[in-house]
Amino acid sequence: EAQVTQNPRYLITVTGKKLTVTCSQNMNHEYMSWYRQDPGLGLRQIYYSMNVEVTDKGDVPEGYKVSRKEKRNFPLILESPSPNQTSLYFCASRGVGGSGNTIYFGEGSWLTVV
Amino acid sequence: QQQVKQSPQSLIVQKGGISIINCAYENTAFDYFPWYQQFPGKGPALLIAIRPDVSEKKEGRFTISFNKSAKQFSLHIMDSQPGDSATYFCAASPGGGYSTLTFGKGTMLLVSP
């Protein structure tokens, strides 16, 4: 079954404590991306990656880091989380160049920073 | 700068009615226009998509209408059912969908029994 898997699904953390949200996909997709969803603001892209070792900023990258060392994994790193990063986060993936342009989303990770 | 404007923010429709959600875009390079459906506690999932070479695409009870000159597109849900209650996002992308998607802010649809 085609899947994008995120962990943890729910997390409450404190300001300044580094955390990582993992993302893995089993579809051999080159493109992976992170979004945050906030009420009234919709889905905003944080970072994306077109392939291994290739990453680029989206619309709201401040306060986040990513890495793409393997094709299937694309972790999101919050080095020093702040309350304004409290949000619902989605990882997504798709193929490139004729292999299907449908974006598949994970089920989301609820993050609360206190 | 919001490149895809979606309205309304929320919508209540009676069972059996027609739900209509509208989106407008500014970037003339956009050539792929999908709609995503999101149920509570789940990630968005592709519902239906259209390219600008056609004015309408229908899949079951869901239809996208596209007006290239007005730079607008809309989702129509015929015979709306309570199971259609969800948040709907329109989106747009250049490059046939192989470039970054820009999403609208979403519409919460409630279909009352």
Side-chain angles (χ1 to χ4, degrees), chain A residues 9-10 31 35 37-38 40-45 48 50 59 88 90 94-108 110, chain B residues 3 9 32 34 36 38-46 49 51 87 89-90 93-106:
Chain A
R9 295 288 315 278
Y10 305 92
Y31 178 94
Y35 294 85
Q37 183 177 4
D38 301 288
L41 297 178
L43 290 158
R44 294 181 293 168
Q45 191 178 53
Y48 65 97
M50 295 297 291
D59 297 320
L88 174 58
F90 288 102
R94 65 162 168 78
V96 298
S99 62
N101 58 6
T102 299
I103 287 186
Y104 295 87
F105 285 86
E107 296 211 320
W110 285 97
Chain B
Q3 295 191 51
Q9 277 191 318
Y32 174 69
Y36 279 78
Q38 182 184 28
F39 293 108
K42 299 292 186 181
L46 180 66
R51 293 184 186 245
T87 298
F89 292 96
C90 64
S93 169
Y98 289 104
S99 187
T100 296
L101 273 178
T102 298
F103 285 89
K105 293 186 176 182

